[in-house]
């Protein structure tokens, strides 16, 4: 053969591997065949090829008939099935305790699910606008004669058109002029009139900045003329009983006369998570605003051109603003806010609507975590108290040879079972709450929304993970060797 | 002897199993894993891993179609014994059944079917 003697030995590691996984009673014949094969291969193959083939054939013995049955493995499975059976029986036997556990844990989980999903809503304000990160509100803080800075969201009417005109970074700008406490008596017919407050006067460029989906009509062209008006779905339904009302007219009853508005478009209702709401949009009815830097009763929103940075525009605002003013107004301070930050981080005077507070978000998040933590601790506490009642069961288990590990396993399975049902109960409860509180929350929320499902699963993981880990403590501290 | 019902996996004879069973007969009395594999390669040209052959032999023995005993070891095997296989009566019957079924089906094919044989073209 011409091969050195030591090469008659096939790869050692392959043999070790084979011996490790192969049934003992088959090992001899299999190894014999393989060695014989190897010797044959050596006579007409290169050494490395023969070794490679040897490995190949060894690996081909990884088949059920040749692999050692791991008795330990199947035993573990059986034990877990047994744990589960006992946990189930235990739960049924102590129905009161079980229900208490499931309810208390479930309540805590439901509470945190609810809070977290609510917070998710708070954090999502004004993100429904297309390219919301390019939309900013420009505000001007007033500085009085005693150098006190008074935060103020309102701006002069000349600001928006001037910004578009003089800054290439500003792609579009829009003014909002809310009702300022006035009530508008509107009606489709003299018999059907309502006083309305959610009436905003604005520029035709409203839809260049904001995104509000239209139901009927072309909203971009529905504010071009003075006598036009845009309704939301619910306003249209309220006055006409239907939504497709483009072209119909809506009367505005003043004390002595009646204005007639032509309906130019119908929008979907404004989402809850917007920092301002309206039912009616109409053009601004006042003249000579383009040079008016003296009135502070308009809100100014700008949308930056693609690629433009607010950080580079911001320093130019103050000099520009001052250059437009007469001397007495020099002190006022102009600045901008991202539209998505307004709800949680802006607390100016004359906000369009009461805003939330980022501090509340943190507090609520902490609260939710705390509730979750408390209900887990509470469960743990109840469980430890229960352990003393289980001496007999544990004793019998020990007599039958249960070791510490298997006793712990028993407790873990019980905990997992309870946690699972608590989670189930919590999800039902949270879902029910969302349905009941639909009117308060202003929209439909469901746990089954994909992004909420993620939050839900995360909470579930935290609970189960938490329960799983510390629950290994009680049996080992309370039980073995201390039995009488 | 009837095969042991407890270890029977079902009496169906797979195609590869049938091949192994036939080769065991061909190689009598020296049929063992490696020689069967070599014979399969030599006779049919198809590749089979040693493990596949062993697995098939194992199944056939469980079905009661084969019996085995350990023979003496040889030098090439590092002194390890090999397992020699023999066909059982049940194995023979299973082969016969397959053989007869095949023959019977073959004989039922009308001569007309062999006329105008198609060569993979369309039916029309």
């Amino acid at each position: 053969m011409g091969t050195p003697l030591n090469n008659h030995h096939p790869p050692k590691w392959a043999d070790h591997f084979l011996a490790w996984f192969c049934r003992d009673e088959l090992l001899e014949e299999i190894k014999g065949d393989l060695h014989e094969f190897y010797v044959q291969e050596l006579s007409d193959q290169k050494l490395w090829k023969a070794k490679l083939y040897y490995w190949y054939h060894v690996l081909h013995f990884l088949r059920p008939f040749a692999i050692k049955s791991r008795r330990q493995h199947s035993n573990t499975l059986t034990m877990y099935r047994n744990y589960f059976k006992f946990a189930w029986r235990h739960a049924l036997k102590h129905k009161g305790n079980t229900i208490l556990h499931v309810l208390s844990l479930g309540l805590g989980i439901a509470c945190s699910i609810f809070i977290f999903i609510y917070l998710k809503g708070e954090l999502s304000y004004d993100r429904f606008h297309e390219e919301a990160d390019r939309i900013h509100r420009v505000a001007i803080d007033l500085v009085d004669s005693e150098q006190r800075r008074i935060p103020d969201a309102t701006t002069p009417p000349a600001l928006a058109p001037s910004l578009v005109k003089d800054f290439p970074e500003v792609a579009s700008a829009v003014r909002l002029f809310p009702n300022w406490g006035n009530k508008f008596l509107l009606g489709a017919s003299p018999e059907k009139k309502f006083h309305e407050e959610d009436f905003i006067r604005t520029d035709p460029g409203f839809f260049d900045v904001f995104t509000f989906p239209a139901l009927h009509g072309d909203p971009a062209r529905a504010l071009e003329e003075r006598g036009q008006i845009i309704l939301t779905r619910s306003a249209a339904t309220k006055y006409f009983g239907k939504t497709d009302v483009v072209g119909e007219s809506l009367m505005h009853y003043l004390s002595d006369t009646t204005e007639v508005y032509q309906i130019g478009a119908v929008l979907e209702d404004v989402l809850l998570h917007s920092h301002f709401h309206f039912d009616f949009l109409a053009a601004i009815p006042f003249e000579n605003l383009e040079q008016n830097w003296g009135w502070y009763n308009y809100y100014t929103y700008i949308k930056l051109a693609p690629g433009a940075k607010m950080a580079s525009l911001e320093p130019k605002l103050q000099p520009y603003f001052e250059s437009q003013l007469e001397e007495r107004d020099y002190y006022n301070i102009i600045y901008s806010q991202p539209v998505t930050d307004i709800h949680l981080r802006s607390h100016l005077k004359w906000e369009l609507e009461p805003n939330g507070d980022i501090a509340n978000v943190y507090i609520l998040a902490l609260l939710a975590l705390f509730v979750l933590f408390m209900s887990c601790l509470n469960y743990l506490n109840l469980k430890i108290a229960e352990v003393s009642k289980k001496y007999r069961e544990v004793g019998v288990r020990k007599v039958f040879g249960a070791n510490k590990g298997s006793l712990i396993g028993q407790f873990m399975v019980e905990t997992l079972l309870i946690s699972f049902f608590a989670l189930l109960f919590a999800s039902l409860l949270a879902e029910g709450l969302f349905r009941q509180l639909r009117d308060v929350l202003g929209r439909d929320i469901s746990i089954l929304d994909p992004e909420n499902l993620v939050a839900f699963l995360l909470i579930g993981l935290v609970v189960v993970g938490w329960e799983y880990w510390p629950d290994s403590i009680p049996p080992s501290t309370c039980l073995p060797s201390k039995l009488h | 002897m009837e095969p042991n019902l407890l270890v029977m996996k079902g009496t169906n004879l797979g195609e590869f199993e049938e091949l192994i069973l036939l080769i065991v007969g061909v190689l009598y009395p020296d049929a063992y894993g490696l020689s069967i594999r070599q014979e399969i390669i030599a006779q049919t040209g198809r590749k089979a891993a040693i493990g596949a052959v062993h697995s098939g032999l194992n199944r056939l023995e469980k079905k009661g179609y084969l019996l085995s005993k350990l023979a003496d070891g040889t030098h090439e095997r590092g002194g390890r014994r090999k397992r020699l296989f023999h066909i059982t009566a049940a194995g023979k019957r299973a082969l016969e059944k397959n053989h007869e079924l095949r023959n019977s089906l073959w004989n039922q094919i009308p001569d007309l079917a062999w006329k105008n044989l198609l060569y993979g073209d369309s039916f029309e």
Side-chain angles (χ1 to χ4, degrees):
Chain A
M1 257 182 257
T3 41
L5 195 65
N6 57 358
N7 277 349
H8 284 287
H9 293 288
K12 212 165 52 178
W13 285 108
D15 272 357
H16 284 318
F17 182 58
L18 183 71
W20 176 73
F21 75 77
C22 185
R23 281 175 198 268
D24 294 335
E25 65 267 28
L26 295 178
L27 188 58
E28 182 178 352
E29 54 193 273
I30 289 176
K31 221 170 166 183
D33 272 12
L34 283 170
H35 277 222
E36 199 179 332
F37 165 79
Y38 181 73
V39 171
Q40 285 171 10
E41 288 292 294
L42 270 187
S43 60
D44 46 31
Q45 298 280 9
K46 288 198 176 76
L47 181 63
W48 67 270
K49 264 192 174 173
K51 285 190 169 175
L52 192 71
Y53 287 149
Y54 190 84
W55 266 107
Y56 169 78
H57 284 287
V58 164
L59 291 178
H60 246 285
F61 272 98
L62 281 169
R63 293 157 185 264
F65 87 96
I67 294 176
K68 264 180 208 159
S69 69
R70 308 266 158 187
R71 280 184 63 97
Q72 227 180 350
H73 178 69
S74 67
N75 195 26
T76 311
L77 257 182
T78 316
M79 281 314 288
Y80 269 98
R81 209 172 294 151
N82 179 272
Y83 295 159
F84 186 78
K85 194 188 281 175
F86 269 76
W88 181 248
R89 286 178 185 166
H90 185 263
L92 287 183
K93 191 179 170 194
H94 306 281
K95 286 196 184 64
N97 273 350
T98 307
I99 290 173
L100 202 66
H101 288 160
V102 169
L103 286 189
S104 58
L105 197 56
L107 219 56
I109 300 173
C111 186
S112 10
I113 289 176
F114 192 82
I115 294 179
F116 276 126
I117 291 179
Y118 170 76
L119 289 185
K120 206 176 62 58
E122 281 293 286
L123 292 171
S124 70
Y125 259 73
D126 292 301
R127 294 193 193 276
F128 59 87
H129 298 296
E130 280 168 27
E131 291 145 341
D133 52 329
R134 278 164 48 195
I135 306 173
H136 296 257
R137 180 170 75 179
V138 181
I140 298 178
D141 284 356
L142 305 177
V143 179
D144 66 12
S145 52
E146 289 159 40
Q147 303 298 312
R148 284 179 304 199
R149 180 173 173 172
I150 302 158
D152 196 327
T154 56
T155 53
L159 180 62
S162 308
L163 286 176
V164 180
K165 187 162 54 103
D166 294 332
F167 289 100
E169 295 98 319
V170 179
S172 49
V174 67
R175 294 169 291 193
L176 299 189
F177 186 79
N179 64 318
W180 288 120
N182 294 321
K183 289 188 166 62
F184 294 80
L185 185 58
L186 301 178
S189 62
E191 299 84 50
K192 204 171 181 187
K193 295 182 281 191
F194 299 97
H195 286 283
E196 296 291 352
E197 290 190 307
D198 293 331
F199 195 122
I200 291 182
R201 256 78 73 89
T202 184
D203 293 316
F206 184 79
F207 294 97
D208 296 339
V209 177
F210 298 119
T211 311
F212 291 102
L215 269 182
H216 302 285
D218 180 7
R221 306 190 53 197
L223 293 173
E224 282 173 351
E225 287 164 45
R226 183 69 65 82
Q228 285 184 305
I229 193 168
I230 292 177
L231 271 61
T232 59
R233 172 201 284 271
S234 53
T237 314
K238 181 172 165 188
Y239 285 93
F240 298 95
K242 56 180 182 171
T243 57
D244 190 5
V245 294
V246 175
E248 305 215 20
S249 40
L250 192 67
M251 259 59 80
H252 177 200
Y253 297 98
L254 298 159
S255 53
D256 44 355
T257 62
T258 304
E259 274 179 41
V260 180
Y261 283 114
Q262 288 288 318
I263 296 171
V266 180
L267 304 179
E268 282 288 0
D269 282 344
V270 180
L271 295 171
L272 173 78
H273 289 164
S274 169
H275 79 281
F276 68 95
H277 290 82
F278 59 86
D279 278 330
F280 305 90
L281 282 180
I284 296 172
F286 311 112
E287 306 282 349
N288 300 325
L289 296 174
E290 268 56 31
Q291 290 308 317
N292 188 329
W293 289 90
W295 296 358
Y296 280 77
N297 45 10
Y298 287 80
Y299 297 87
T300 303
Y301 293 83
I302 59 174
K303 189 169 206 170
L304 296 180
K309 292 268 175 297
M310 199 63 221
S312 61
L313 178 62
E314 187 92 47
K316 302 183 202 160
L317 286 179
Q318 185 68 26
Y320 176 76
F321 176 56
E322 287 175 12
S323 71
Q324 304 287 332
L325 295 182
E326 296 159 34
E327 204 154 340
R328 58 181 165 82
D329 282 329
Y330 272 15
Y331 312 112
N332 293 353
I333 298 165
I334 186 169
Y335 58 98
S336 74
Q337 308 167 298
V339 75
T340 49
D341 274 2
I342 291 177
H343 176 67
L344 288 177
R345 295 175 201 274
S346 172
H347 307 286
L348 309 178
K349 201 179 176 190
W350 304 116
E351 292 281 358
L352 278 158
E353 283 176 17
N355 284 337
D357 194 335
I358 190 72
N360 287 341
V361 171
Y362 291 134
I363 291 171
L364 276 175
L366 271 177
L367 195 69
L369 281 178
F370 189 68
V371 167
L372 200 61
F373 182 72
M374 284 298 289
S375 59
C376 289
L377 263 187
N378 173 51
Y379 171 76
L380 200 61
N381 201 14
L382 287 172
K383 204 75 193 159
I384 292 174
E386 229 175 63
V387 162
S388 59
K389 295 184 197 153
K390 300 186 86 181
Y391 276 174
R392 203 163 39 166
E393 182 197 330
V394 170
V396 173
R397 280 183 176 273
K398 280 182 78 79
V399 166
F400 280 111
N403 55 17
K404 198 163 109 181
S406 68
L407 290 175
I408 292 172
Q410 172 71 52
F411 277 84
M412 281 185 178
V413 170
E414 272 177 30
T415 301
L416 282 179
L417 196 70
I418 296 281
S419 305
F420 174 75
F421 281 110
L423 211 55
L424 207 66
F425 167 69
S427 52
L428 289 176
L429 188 65
E431 184 73 24
L433 265 179
F434 284 131
R435 283 175 194 280
Q436 288 303 311
L437 296 179
R438 184 185 309 178
D439 294 335
V440 181
L441 297 170
R443 61 178 188 144
D444 284 325
I445 306 177
S446 172
I447 288 191
L448 299 177
D449 295 341
E451 72 265 27
N452 293 345
L453 206 58
V454 171
F456 168 70
L457 287 180
L458 270 179
I459 292 173
L461 267 181
V462 169
V463 172
V464 171
W466 160 263
E467 296 294 352
Y468 203 81
W469 172 62
D471 205 26
S472 57
I473 302 163
S476 55
T477 50
C478 312
L479 302 174
S481 76
K482 288 176 192 162
L483 294 174
H484 314 292
Chain B
M1 192 193 83
E2 278 295 313
N4 185 348
L5 285 172
L6 283 176
V7 295
M8 264 173 57
K9 270 181 81 179
T11 49
N12 185 39
L13 196 59
E15 191 264 347
F16 189 58
E17 288 174 359
E18 188 180 0
L19 185 62
I20 292 176
L21 201 53
L22 287 167
I23 301 265
V24 169
V26 170
L27 290 176
Y28 180 84
D30 197 29
Y32 68 101
L34 196 62
S35 70
I36 293 169
R37 170 176 182 266
Q38 279 165 339
E39 196 65 16
I40 288 176
I41 294 174
Q43 296 257 6
T44 69
R46 62 195 250 188
K47 294 273 179 194
I50 308 176
V53 175
H54 274 249
S55 161
L57 287 168
N58 187 275
R59 280 201 302 276
L60 285 167
E61 195 172 5
K62 278 206 174 130
K63 288 177 181 177
Y65 296 156
L66 287 177
L67 276 179
S68 69
K69 63 170 195 282
L70 287 171
D72 294 334
T74 60
H75 173 67
E76 311 89 69
R77 301 172 62 84
R80 293 182 188 85
R81 293 172 295 174
K82 60 177 107 170
R83 186 172 287 277
L84 294 178
F85 289 88
H86 308 272
I87 301 182
T88 63
K92 184 179 177 228
R93 201 157 62 235
L95 280 177
E96 278 171 353
K97 223 174 81 187
N98 271 20
H99 194 64
E100 279 163 16
L101 178 67
R102 197 162 298 182
N103 275 348
S104 150
L105 288 171
W106 177 265
N107 290 333
Q108 287 172 50
I109 300 176
D111 287 343
L112 216 55
W114 304 129
K115 304 261 163 60
N116 307 320
L117 280 182
L118 300 165
Y119 289 94
D121 302 328
S122 79
F123 232 111
E124 296 310 314

